[in-house]
Amino acid sequence: MSAPIHFYMTFNPKLNSYSDPDFTQAHEFYEYLQAEIKKKKDGHAYWGKIISTDREKTADTKKMHSIVKANNELGHKTHLYLTDFQNLWVANVTAVKQGIGKDTKTLGFYKDKKVEVWFQISDFTILEYCPDSTATKLSELYIDNEHSEFLIEGISPFTSGIKYPALVQDLAEEDFFDELNPEEDGTHLVLKNPEAITNIGSAKIIKTLNHYTFPELMYQKLPHGAKAEIEAAELDMVEQRHHNLNKMAFSYIKALEITINHLVIGHIRKSGIADDFFVKPNLMPPKMYLNEHDEIDLIPLAKFPKNFSITQLIYFIERVIKSNRLSFNKAFSAQKPFLKWFTNEFPKQLDDFQILKIRGVLAHNDADRVNDHDLLAIRSIIMGIGSTGLIQQAMKKFYPEINEQFKVLGSYTNKKYDSMASKKNKKKNHLKAA
């Protein structure tokens, strides 16, 4: 199954003036859409691509709208990636139009500007907060589809010659807007953790995490949903608000759950074998099948974007391993250490630390049953404060290249000392032989 096609555009933050230089039209759009969604659950707003007044409109809006429709048929949302190369944002596109009415929901910023194409946006969030991480995520966007004349293996701030909106694919293939559990996460990312998005301290939080908890390479490989949970909780911790330890602990558990789903189900999807497994989505929780079944209402795993519980995933992977399926074995050939950890050590740690039991308590608003010591212990266990956390264990087992960061690769011998030691050893051996 081929990767869904998305849209990518840049924007100039200097086209409008705000008193805060870190506040751009993307931040303003975020707040505008947030207000619309609060008023109406299925609300939306329009983001436009501006062109100079002397240019003709050449964007093929019909083709772009057909891409949105095709993605929907495959069970995928369509993303619009937006960057000023400082931050990187992602939007959920529900329609593409050449023109909109005067009273249509959009920023006053567009007044008197010529807009070539309008994107109808139903959800919106920030992915990266600084130039380095933005450049890293952009490198995961590539162009290799029937709509482009050329191949680009990774977008960068220096990529030239492409026409905007560019039609791209995402190497990570994250379904940002499909992973929400409405009962626990709300219905929209634009409503979730807004303080982490509008607070400029978030970039400092990420630097601190990279220095003391998650090395940069490891953190880059975490799914966006997990990073969002961690950053919101850590912002609460660092600013010493501590007003809701229950919420913070639940965020860490959610981050672990999202990471495990990304490593297991995400890898199955990226490996092209998600059509080999099936889901019955109308059950609660949805049931997973190894093969197509006589039961009705089964859909391929490729068309089911929601996350599963950790217990479901452990049971599912145990069954797949026992079935000795060739396609799965091939897809996870480099992740054998992870599978061994996931089906042996990991379940035991979950039981020893009562992670899933505490999750159930917190999810059902019975938080008074968990004392503050245990809530803070959850942070240490999952994040690796004073130990190797569960998220670090998972990432190190799954990505062999991460482990290279924890090895000394050079050779630092003292030739003079080694020579003297060698002569001394030879003398000892000679005396022993005599």
Side-chain angles (χ1 to χ4, degrees):
M1 184 175 170
S2 60
I5 296 172
H6 305 291
F7 308 115
Y8 164 69
M9 288 200 312
T10 61
F11 68 92
N12 183 355
K14 303 300 183 183
L15 285 180
N16 46 14
S17 57
Y18 301 100
S19 58
D20 182 352
D22 293 317
F23 191 87
T24 69
Q25 59 260 44
H27 291 85
E28 184 184 6
F29 186 84
Y30 173 85
E31 293 182 349
Y32 182 94
L33 180 61
Q34 187 182 80
E36 290 299 313
I37 300 299
K38 286 180 178 178
K39 287 188 290 186
K40 190 178 179 182
K41 186 178 177 180
D42 59 351
H44 62 265
Y46 286 89
W47 180 281
K49 184 208 169 203
I50 298 170
I51 57 174
S52 59
T53 55
D54 59 345
R55 282 185 54 194
E56 294 295 323
K57 295 182 180 181
T58 59
D60 190 341
T61 53
K62 288 185 178 180
K63 179 172 71 176
M64 286 188 278
H65 190 74
S66 69
I67 288 172
V68 176
K69 185 178 178 181
N71 285 342
N72 286 339
E73 290 173 354
L74 293 172
H76 293 288
K77 297 286 194 296
T78 303
H79 303 155
L80 170 62
Y81 296 95
L82 294 166
T83 187
D84 58 355
F85 301 119
Q86 171 69 31
N87 301 315
L88 178 64
W89 301 78
V90 65
N92 178 24
V93 179
T94 50
V96 182
K97 299 181 179 181
Q98 190 175 51
I100 58 176
K102 291 182 179 179
D103 298 327
T104 305
K105 304 294 184 181
T106 191
L107 299 180
F109 165 75
Y110 291 105
K111 185 179 179 181
D112 301 327
K113 291 183 173 66
K114 188 173 184 178
V115 176
E116 183 178 30
V117 57
W118 292 97
F119 294 93
Q120 182 175 295
I121 307 300
S122 64
D123 205 354
F124 194 62
T125 194
I126 195 169
L127 293 182
E128 304 296 345
Y129 296 89
C130 58
D132 289 346
S133 58
T134 290
T136 299
K137 178 57 189 176
L138 287 179
S139 69
E140 294 182 355
L141 304 183
Y142 65 97
I143 298 177
D144 184 11
N145 57 69
E146 62 189 38
H147 304 291
S148 177
E149 299 176 0
F150 45 84
L151 168 70
I152 295 180
E153 294 183 354
I155 301 293
S156 84
F158 309 103
T159 301
S160 60
I162 60 175
K163 179 179 172 59
Y164 296 109
L167 306 181
V168 303
Q169 293 114 296
D170 184 359
L171 192 63
E173 292 189 36
E174 284 192 61
D175 292 313
F176 306 107
F177 303 103
D178 281 318
E179 295 172 349
L180 289 170
N181 179 340
E183 293 182 1
E184 297 175 349
D185 305 314
T187 56
H188 293 73
L189 287 180
V190 76
L191 302 178
K192 188 174 174 62
N193 301 329
E195 66 280 359
I197 292 175
T198 55
N199 191 318
I200 60 173
S202 297
K204 294 179 181 178
I205 291 293
I206 296 169
K207 286 185 180 295
T208 302
L209 287 169
N210 289 165
H211 282 305
Y212 300 109
T213 310
F214 299 103
E216 190 173 353
L217 177 61
M218 182 185 291
Y219 199 68
Q220 288 168 357
K221 291 182 179 294
L222 287 178
H224 168 260
K227 290 191 286 188
E229 295 287 352
I230 290 169
E231 288 159 19
E234 286 298 289
L235 189 64
D236 204 351
M237 177 68 71
V238 170
E239 293 188 346
Q240 298 181 343
R241 287 177 283 177
H242 295 264
H243 65 280
N244 197 336
L245 286 177
N246 305 318
K247 181 182 177 183
M248 291 163 59
F250 193 61
S251 286
Y252 296 124
I253 296 174
K254 287 286 292 180
L256 174 64
E257 191 171 83
I258 293 167
T259 299
I260 294 299
N261 269 271
H262 178 71
L263 297 179
V264 176
I265 301 300
H267 189 68
I268 286 174
R269 289 194 181 114
K270 285 188 285 186
S271 299
I273 60 172
D275 284 325
D276 297 344
F277 303 103
F278 299 87
V279 180
K280 191 167 186 177
N282 54 0
L283 292 180
M284 190 54 67
K287 189 173 180 180
M288 306 169 74
Y289 292 83
L290 269 61
N291 301 292
E292 198 161 12
H293 202 272
D294 290 338
E295 292 193 41
I296 58 173
D297 298 329
L298 291 188
I299 62 172
L301 179 59
K303 291 189 175 183
F304 186 79
K306 303 294 183 182
N307 282 337
F308 297 93
S309 72
I310 290 177
T311 302
Q312 282 179 290
L313 292 177
I314 292 173
Y315 179 56
F316 174 68
I317 293 301
E318 286 175 342
R319 288 165 56 214
V320 177
I321 292 173
K322 191 176 292 185
S323 71
N324 197 27
R325 185 169 297 198
L326 181 61
S327 60
F328 179 87
N329 293 341
K330 185 177 179 181
F332 282 81
S333 59
Q335 281 73 39
K336 289 180 181 178
F338 170 80
L339 294 178
K340 183 178 179 181
W341 171 84
F342 185 66
T343 55
N344 291 282
E345 299 169 51
F346 184 49
K348 187 176 185 305
Q349 292 179 87
L350 292 175
D351 286 342
D352 290 345
F353 299 131
Q354 302 184 71
I355 300 291
L356 302 182
K357 290 180 181 178
I358 292 174
R359 187 204 192 285
V361 172
L362 296 176
H364 290 92
N365 296 317
D366 196 11
D368 290 341
R369 289 178 54 197
V370 187
N371 60 58
D372 288 355
H373 172 275
D374 290 348
L375 292 171
L376 288 171
I378 289 295
R379 176 177 182 257
S380 300
I381 292 163
I382 292 176
M383 296 281 286
I385 311 299
S387 63
T388 303
L390 295 178
I391 291 179
Q392 287 99 328
Q393 290 180 49
M395 298 296 284
K396 290 173 70 176
K397 294 291 184 182
F398 194 92
Y399 296 105
E401 63 268 30
I402 287 178
N403 295 295
E404 296 299 311
Q405 289 193 305
F406 308 103
K407 296 179 182 177
V408 176
L409 303 178
S411 177
Y412 307 99
T413 57
N414 186 320
K415 293 182 180 179
K416 182 178 179 180
Y417 173 81
D418 289 348
S419 177
M420 290 172 62
S422 178
K423 288 179 181 179
K424 189 179 288 187
N425 288 333
K426 284 181 180 178
K427 186 175 181 179
K428 284 183 180 179
N429 292 334
H430 177 71
L431 291 172
K432 285 180 181 178

